[in-house]
Amino acid sequence: MEAQWRQGGRGRGRARPGDELAARSGAAARPPAARGRGGARAAAAGTIGEGAGGEYRVLPSARAAGPRAGELAYFLLIELSSLKKFDEIKKANQAAAKKLVEDQLSSSSEDDDEDAEVKQGKILDKTFTIYTSQTDGDASELERTRQYMNDAFQSGAMTCLICIASVKRNQAVWSCCGCFCIFHLVCIQKWAKDSVFLVSSPLTDDDFGKKDYPWPCPKCRFEYKRSETPSRYYCYCGKVENPTVDPWLVPHSCGQICEREFKPSCGHKCLLLCHPGPCPPCPKMVTTTCHCKKAKPVPRRCSAKEWSCRLPCGRTLLCGQHACENPCHAGDCQPCPRVSKQRCICGRQTAERLCASPQWQCDQVCGKCLPCGNHTCEQVCHAGPCGDCPRSGKRSCPCGKTKFTLPCTEDVPTCGDSCDKVLECGIHKCSQRCHRGPCEICRQEVEKQCRCGKHTKRMPCHKPYLCETKCTKIRDCQKHQCRRKCCSGNCPPCDQVCGRTLGCRNHKCPSGCHRGSCNPCPETVDVKCNCGKTVIKVPCGRERTIKPPKCKQLCSRPPTCHHSTQEKHYCHFGRCPPCRQPCQKTLTCGHLCPVSCHDEALVKQTGLHQSAGPWDQPSEPAFIQTALPCPPCQVPIPVECLGQHEVSPLPCHSANPYSCKRFCGRLLDCQNHTCMKECHHVTKLNSSADGKKAGPECSQCEEECTKPRPAGCPHRCALPCHPGDCPSCLQMLKIKCHCKLSVLYIECLKLTHADLKEKELLISCRNQCPKELPCGHRCKEICHSGSCPLNCSQKVKLRCLCKRLKKEVQCSKIQEGQVSLECDALCKEMKRKAYEIKEAEAKAALEEEKRRQQAELEAFENRLKGRRKNKRRKDEVEVEQSSWQKYKNFIMLPVFGVAVVMV
C-alpha cells in the first residue's frame, strides 16, 4: 500500500495523504517542480524538526531559504506526518489482528479437558445434592436438566438465536419459560419492541396503544404480554438481580435453591440449586390411591402419583346400560363400544348403531297430515308434534304493506301499491308495483366517485366505478409500492417474498416481505468430530465458530514413529500428540534408551526470515519436525573415586574414576598430619602396604611440631613436626611470686616436674605477706599462695556499751565473738538517774501548758460576760511559776557534777 502511494507520488502526480489537509488549511497548489523529487526532498529534510508530542514543524531556517525550499519543506512535513499516521494505524491493525487470532485460537484450542471435567462434575454434584438426597441417589430424572447445564458450561454451546452469537457467562441474558432457550437481554428487548410495532403498525392513530398486543418467543412462539418485556437481568430462578460471576457456579446462576413450583403444580417446589432449563419431576413421596379408588393407598413419587391398579373400571357409561370394562384409567370413561338396534327419532326405520349414540335421524320427510287437513308436514324425521299449518292465520302481501285473512288453500294476492323495497345499492327503492319474486337491479344514473376518490363519472348505480390510477403508497413492509388500481388507501399486505439472507449466512428468509429483522433460521446443522462418530446439532450459522464435540472414541491413526503402536488417546483434529512411550533403542553401551520417543521432536528455528520493510509484520519463529539422537546413557554405574574414599553411582556415559573433592587424608611420614591435597591417585609401592599411608603423590609435612607440652610449659618444641616425644625444655621462666611483689627466674624443667609443695617453695619470695586481713591488720605469714589465715593475734581494746569500762583482748577472739564486756551496776544507776531527769522535765512542761491554756480560757470568759469598762484594756494575766521552774537550777548542778566525777 505504501509502495503504491510512493510510486504514484513520484511519476504521475497522484494525490497523497495530506494533500487534502493542505488544501483545507489554505495552502497554495503544489507546484509541478516539487512533485516527488527525491533530491529536493533530501535537500529540504534538514529544515524539518520534530516538535512536542511527535508533531513535525518547519524550522526557521526553511523559511529563510526561500519560498521554493519552504514549499518543499511543507510538503515533506505533510509526508512525514502521513507516514507516522500510517505506522500508528498499522500497529493498531496488527494488534487487533493478533488479538483476534489469539481469541480464535483460545476458543478453538483444546482446553485442559481433565481439569474442566472434574470442575464441571463438582459443580453438577453440588447442584443436584439436595435432589438426589430425596431420591436415594437416583438421578435418572435429571438427564434433561443435566443437558441444559452441560450446554451452559460448554464454550459456544449456548447461542442467542437472534444475533447468532455465543452467550458468555458475563453477559446479561433472559430465558424463555416455554422452551427455556437463552437470549441476550438486549436482543430480546429489541425483538419484543419490533414485534409489537409490526403487529400494531396497520392500526390507525386513534387505535394505536389502546390494545395490549403480545410478542412471541423467537423459538417456541410462546406469547408474552407487552408488560412482560424483560427490563432487568435476573438469575434463572428470578431471585437475584444482576448475579455475580462465580467460577464455581453454573453461569448466570445465583447459587441459591431454585424453589420454583413444579409443572404441573403439585404444591412442592424445586430442590435444585438455581439452574437453566426445566425443573425435574417432583421427588417427594406421597400416599395416593389408584384412578378408580378401589386399591389401597400406597406411597409413590409425587411426579408419578397417578397410577392404575389394572382392575376393570366398572363405572356406568353414558348409555346407562353397560359398565366400563377398560382397566383402571384416568379421566372420563370412553364411549360405550357396544352395538345395538335402535330406531330413528320418528320411529320409521331401525338400524344397528353404537350404544353411545342412541338418537339419530333418517332421511325421510315426516309427511303427517297437519291440523288444517289440507297440507302435510314437510320437516325431516323429527320428534314431537308437527305443529300448525304455516299458511294459516294472517298473511302479508309480497311488499308487506297489506295483511289478509284467507284459507290456507288460497294464495295471498298483490296489493297494487308500489314495492318501495331498498335495492341492492342500498340507496334507491324499487319503483314497481307490489310483486312476487326479487326486485330488479338499480338502473338509475348517478354521479359516482372511484374507490381512490380521484375521479368521478355518471353511470348506472348498480355498476362499480374503478379508475386506472395505480396506488403509489408504500406497503407495510416499507419497501414496495402498492401499485394496485384505484386503491382505497387501505393497502393490502405486501405479497412478495422477503428473500434477505438470514443471520446464518446460509439461507434466505422465506417469509413475506416485512419490516424489522428476520426470524432466526429454523434449520440445524450437524457438527461432527474427526472420525464422525460423535455428532451435535447446532443452530444454522454456528457451525463455523462452534468447537467440534469431544469424542470418546480412540484415535485410529497409525503411529508415525518407530513404535508399532501409539499411545491411546481420544479422537481429535490436527496432528496426533507427540509420542510419550519410552524410546527403547539400544545404545552403544548396551543399555536401552529410557527417555520419551524423540522421532518427531519440534525444533525452533530463528533468524531465517528478514523483514522486507517497516510495514512487514515480524513472523513467529518457525518449528520444524525432526528426529533427535538418543541422549547419553544415564544408567547409574558404581565407580570408586581416585582416593578410594567412596563409591558413587555415575551415569553410564561418564563412568570413569573421578575426584570426590575431599582431602586425601592419608597419614604422612610425620605420623601427626594427613595429606591435605584434593582426592588424587596414589601409587602403591608395595602390594602389602597399608591403604591409608601416604604415597609419593601426597604432600610433604612442613609444619612445626604441635604436640602438647608438659603442664605449665608455655614454650614450643624447637624441632619441626616429628614422630615420637619432644625433648625436655631448658628455657628459663619469668614469673611473679605469690604476693606479686617480686619477679623470680626459674628453670622451666624444674617447675614443670615439681610437685605442689616444691612449686609452693619455688614461687615464694620468702618475705612477709603484704595482704590485709578482714579485721584491718597485716598478715603475719611468709609469702604464700591462696588466702591468708583468719587467726589475727593483734591486741585490741574492748569497751562496754556506755563506754565507761575497757579491756585489752586478742583480735581473732573478738572476730569470733568469744569475748564481750558488759556494763556494771554503777553504769545502770547512772542510766536510771538520767531517765528520771528527762521524765521530770517532760512532766513540768505538760503542767505549764495546762496552766497557760486555763489562763486563756478565763480571759475569754471574762470578755464574754460584758465587762464594758475593761473592754479597751488589755488583759494582764499573771502566771505563777511552778516549783520545778524555781528550783531546777539548784537540783541539776550537783547531779551533773557527780556524773562527771564518776566518768
Side-chain angles (χ1 to χ4, degrees):
M1 176 179 176
E2 187 177 358
Q4 295 177 359
W5 173 76
R6 289 179 179 274
Q7 183 177 2
R10 291 192 186 98
R12 297 183 296 275
R14 184 182 299 173
R16 297 176 300 170
D19 292 346
E20 184 179 357
L21 179 62
R24 291 180 181 177
S25 61
R30 183 181 180 189
R35 293 181 182 175
R37 297 298 182 186
R41 195 174 295 161
T47 64
I48 303 298
E50 185 173 1
E55 297 181 354
Y56 295 93
R57 58 187 177 86
V58 181
L59 298 178
S61 59
R63 299 190 183 97
R68 184 178 180 85
E71 290 178 357
L72 291 175
Y74 180 78
F75 287 114
L76 185 58
L77 185 148
I78 294 176
E79 182 177 351
L80 291 175
S81 63
S82 301
L83 288 174
K84 186 173 182 181
K85 291 181 180 178
F86 176 79
D87 292 338
E88 293 176 355
I89 296 173
K90 182 192 70 175
K91 292 179 181 179
N93 291 339
Q94 289 178 354
K98 185 176 180 180
K99 182 179 180 182
L100 180 62
V101 171
E102 291 176 353
D103 294 343
Q104 189 71 17
L105 290 175
S106 63
S107 63
S108 61
S109 61
E110 291 292 336
D111 300 327
D112 192 358
D113 295 339
E114 295 181 0
D115 294 344
E117 289 181 1
V118 171
K119 180 179 178 181
Q120 181 177 343
K122 290 182 179 179
I123 297 175
L124 292 179
D125 293 342
K126 180 181 177 182
T127 306
F128 297 150
T129 299
I130 303 178
Y131 187 92
T132 53
S133 64
Q134 297 282 339
T135 60
D136 297 332
D138 184 13
S140 58
E141 301 289 346
L142 297 173
E143 292 302 325
R144 187 180 177 193
T145 306
R146 189 187 298 272
Q147 182 62 36
Y148 276 92
M149 297 182 71
N150 289 333
D151 293 343
F153 279 112
Q154 187 177 358
S155 176
M158 286 200 307
T159 304
C160 177
L161 297 181
I162 300 175
C163 63
I164 314 299
S166 298
V167 178
K168 300 181 179 179
R169 63 169 58 236
N170 58 351
Q171 293 176 335
V173 298
W174 174 84
S175 176
C176 175
C177 62
C179 60
F180 304 99
C181 187
I182 294 177
F183 306 91
H184 292 123
L185 183 62
V186 178
C187 296
I188 197 65
Q189 288 174 346
K190 185 176 182 299
W191 173 273
K193 182 179 178 182
D194 293 345
S195 300
V196 173
F197 179 76
L198 289 175
V199 173
S200 59
S201 59
L203 301 177
T204 61
D205 295 338
D206 296 336
D207 297 333
F208 186 78
K210 292 183 179 180
K211 188 175 180 180
D212 188 8
Y213 289 95
W215 56 274
C217 169
K219 183 177 181 181
C220 65
R221 297 299 172 181
F222 183 82
E223 291 189 349
Y224 294 89
K225 296 180 181 179
R226 189 173 184 179
S227 58
E228 295 177 348
T229 303
S231 59
R232 296 182 181 180
Y233 169 40
Y234 287 93
C235 63
Y236 296 115
C237 64
K239 293 181 181 177
V240 179
E241 182 180 355
N242 297 324
T244 57
V245 179
D246 191 340
W248 288 100
L249 291 177
V250 180
H252 316 291
S253 171
C254 63
Q256 303 180 21
I257 298 179
C258 179
E259 292 187 349
R260 287 184 288 183
E261 292 188 358
F262 290 108
K263 293 182 180 179
S265 179
C266 63
H268 302 126
K269 295 183 179 180
C270 181
L271 301 177
L272 299 182
L273 300 184
C274 182
H275 62 90
C279 296
C282 181
K284 296 286 185 179
M285 298 297 292
V286 294
T287 303
T288 180
T289 185
C290 64
H291 300 295
C292 65
K293 311 298 181 183
K294 293 180 180 179
K296 293 182 180 180
V298 294
R300 294 179 63 86
R301 288 274 169 79
C302 183
S303 58
K305 60 184 177 182
E306 295 184 357
W307 60 286
S308 173
C309 64
R310 311 310 298 173
L311 297 175
C313 177
R315 285 183 286 184
T316 304
L317 298 177
L318 296 178
C319 66
Q321 299 178 4
H322 306 103
C324 180
E325 298 177 356
N326 293 330
C328 177
H329 60 86
D332 297 332
C333 298
Q334 296 181 357
C336 184
R338 296 188 179 186
V339 178
S340 61
K341 291 184 177 182
Q342 300 177 6
R343 290 181 175 274
C344 65
I345 296 176
C346 64
R348 294 181 180 179
Q349 294 184 5
T350 302
E352 290 186 355
R353 296 181 57 83
L354 292 175
C355 187
S357 55
Q359 293 185 358
W360 62 285
Q361 285 182 325
C362 62
D363 297 334
Q364 295 182 7
V365 179
C366 179
K368 292 180 181 179
C369 185
L370 295 178
C372 65
N374 299 321
H375 302 94
T376 58
C377 179
E378 297 179 357
Q379 297 181 18
V380 181
C381 177
H382 65 87
C386 296
D388 296 333
C389 179
R391 296 172 62 88
S392 61
K394 290 185 178 182
R395 288 179 287 170
S396 300
C397 64
C399 67
K401 293 180 179 181
T402 306
K403 292 184 178 181
F404 299 93
T405 302
L406 298 174
C408 63
T409 55
E410 296 182 7
D411 295 331
V412 178
T414 58
C415 64
D417 197 356
S418 58
C419 181
D420 286 340
K421 289 182 181 179
V422 179
L423 300 178
E424 292 181 357
C425 65
I427 301 174
H428 306 104
K429 295 182 180 180
C430 180
S431 59
Q432 295 180 0
R433 291 184 180 276
C434 179
H435 60 88
R436 293 182 175 86
C439 299
E440 294 182 352
I441 57 176
C442 184
R443 300 183 182 276
Q444 295 187 26
E445 288 191 358
V446 293
E447 190 77 18
K448 275 200 168 186
Q449 193 176 23
C450 66
R451 187 166 54 185
C452 64
K454 294 182 179 180
H455 303 88
T456 57
K457 184 178 181 181
R458 192 166 185 83
M459 57 186 306
C461 183
H462 68 278
K463 291 184 178 180
Y465 176 38
L466 299 176
C467 67
E468 298 295 327
T469 304
K470 292 183 179 180
C471 180
T472 59
K473 287 184 179 181
I474 302 297
R475 296 192 178 185
D476 57 354
C477 64
Q478 298 296 321
K479 295 179 182 179
H480 306 104
Q481 290 182 345
C482 177
R483 306 302 295 171
R484 190 175 62 159
K485 291 183 180 181
C486 195
C487 182
S488 61
N490 189 11
C491 301
C494 185
D495 54 356
Q496 299 187 30
V497 179
C498 176
R500 286 185 293 179
T501 303
L502 298 177
C504 63
R505 306 298 178 188
N506 297 328
H507 305 96
K508 292 185 178 181
C509 180
S511 305
C513 189
H514 58 85
R515 282 186 293 177
S517 57
C518 299
N519 292 338
C521 182
E523 301 293 333
T524 58
V525 180
D526 291 341
V527 178
K528 300 181 180 180
C529 65
N530 188 31
C531 65
K533 295 181 180 179
T534 305
V535 182
I536 60 173
K537 291 184 179 295
V538 297
C540 182
R542 290 292 295 168
E543 68 275 5
R544 293 184 289 270
T545 58
I546 196 71
K547 289 172 55 177
K550 296 177 183 178
C551 182
K552 296 300 181 180
Q553 301 294 328
L554 295 178
C555 180
S556 58
R557 297 180 184 177
T560 55
C561 59
H562 67 279
H563 293 101
S564 59
T565 59
Q566 63 175 351
E567 287 184 308
K568 293 182 179 181
H569 58 279
Y570 293 126
C571 170
H572 61 90
F573 288 92
R575 299 178 57 86
C576 289
C579 180
R580 298 179 182 176
Q581 302 181 69
C583 177
Q584 297 298 313
K585 289 183 179 179
T586 304
L587 303 177
T588 55
C589 61
H591 297 113
L592 298 178
C593 181
V595 299
S596 299
C597 181
H598 45 82
D599 287 351
E600 297 178 343
L602 293 177
V603 180
K604 181 179 179 182
Q605 286 189 340
T606 57
L608 299 179
H609 177 75
Q610 295 183 354
S611 300
W615 56 86
D616 191 10
Q617 183 177 0
S619 61
E620 296 294 332
F623 289 88
I624 61 172
Q625 195 173 38
T626 181
L628 298 178
C630 292
C633 182
Q634 300 293 332
V635 176
I637 303 296
V639 179
E640 189 177 24
C641 68
L642 295 172
Q644 300 178 354
H645 300 110
E646 65 177 18
V647 176
S648 298
L650 297 181
C652 180
H653 71 278
S654 61
N656 297 318
Y658 67 98
S659 174
C660 64
K661 304 300 180 182
R662 301 179 185 175
F663 294 119
C664 176
R666 294 177 179 268
L667 189 64
L668 299 180
D669 294 336
C670 66
Q671 303 296 321
N672 298 323
H673 300 95
T674 57
C675 179
M676 299 302 292
K677 283 186 176 181
E678 190 179 286
C679 178
H680 60 86
H681 176 70
V682 178
T683 303
K684 291 185 178 181
L685 300 178
N686 300 332
S687 60
S688 61
D690 190 1
K692 294 187 178 181
K693 287 187 177 180
E697 293 83 5
C698 294
S699 60
Q700 299 295 326
C701 182
E702 298 177 355
E703 296 185 7
E704 297 179 355
C705 180
T706 58
K707 291 184 178 181
R709 306 295 293 162
C713 179
H715 308 105
R716 291 185 176 182
C717 180
L719 300 178
C721 186
H722 59 87
D725 298 333
C726 297
S728 301
C729 181
L730 302 177
Q731 298 188 33
M732 300 297 290
L733 279 175
K734 182 180 179 181
I735 190 171
K736 288 187 178 183
C737 65
H738 298 301
C739 59
K740 308 299 180 183
L741 296 178
S742 302
V743 178
L744 305 177
Y745 289 91
I746 306 172
E747 191 174 348
C748 183
L749 179 61
K750 291 182 179 180
L751 186 64
T752 56
H753 286 76
D755 56 4
L756 294 178
K757 291 184 178 180
E758 292 177 353
K759 284 184 180 180
E760 183 77 18
L761 294 174
L762 286 174
I763 300 175
S764 175
C765 63
R766 306 290 193 279
N767 295 324
Q768 183 182 354
C769 179
K771 297 179 182 178
E772 186 176 344
L773 297 176
C775 61
H777 303 118
R778 182 178 176 182
C779 181
K780 300 295 184 179
E781 300 291 332
I782 303 300
C783 179
H784 62 87
S785 61
S787 57
C788 298
L790 299 178
N791 53 348
C792 181
S793 59
Q794 185 74 23
K795 295 290 186 178
V796 295
K797 291 182 179 180
L798 180 64
R799 293 180 181 272
C800 66
L801 294 177
C802 62
K803 307 296 182 181
R804 190 179 68 83
L805 301 177
K806 63 180 179 179
K807 180 181 178 181
E808 287 188 358
V809 294
Q810 195 172 355
C811 181
S812 60
K813 293 183 179 181
I814 295 176
Q815 296 294 328
E816 293 175 358
Q818 298 178 0
V819 181
S820 62
L821 186 60
E822 301 293 337
C823 294
D824 56 1
L826 182 59
C827 292
K828 293 180 180 180
E829 183 65 22
M830 292 178 66
K831 287 182 181 181
R832 185 184 63 76
K833 289 182 179 181
Y835 179 73
E836 289 178 354
I837 292 172
K838 287 184 180 180
E839 282 188 350
E841 289 180 353
K843 187 176 181 180
L846 182 61
E847 291 178 355
E848 181 67 21
E849 180 66 20
K850 288 182 178 181
R851 192 177 294 108
R852 186 181 61 80
Q853 291 179 356
Q854 183 66 28
E856 290 179 356
L857 181 61
E858 291 176 357
F860 180 74
E861 290 177 352
N862 291 336
R863 284 196 299 271
L864 293 178
K865 288 180 180 180
R867 295 179 181 181
R868 297 179 180 177
K869 293 180 180 182
N870 298 330
K871 283 183 180 180
R872 296 180 182 178
R873 297 179 183 178
K874 295 182 178 179
D875 296 334
E876 295 180 357
V877 180
E878 184 178 357
V879 180
E880 183 180 0
Q881 293 184 350
S882 64
S883 60
W884 167 255
Q885 290 178 349
K886 291 179 179 180
Y887 304 108
K888 66 179 179 178
N889 294 332
F890 299 101
I891 297 172
M892 294 299 296
L893 287 175
V895 173
F896 281 113
V898 174
V900 170
V901 172
M902 292 178 66
V903 172

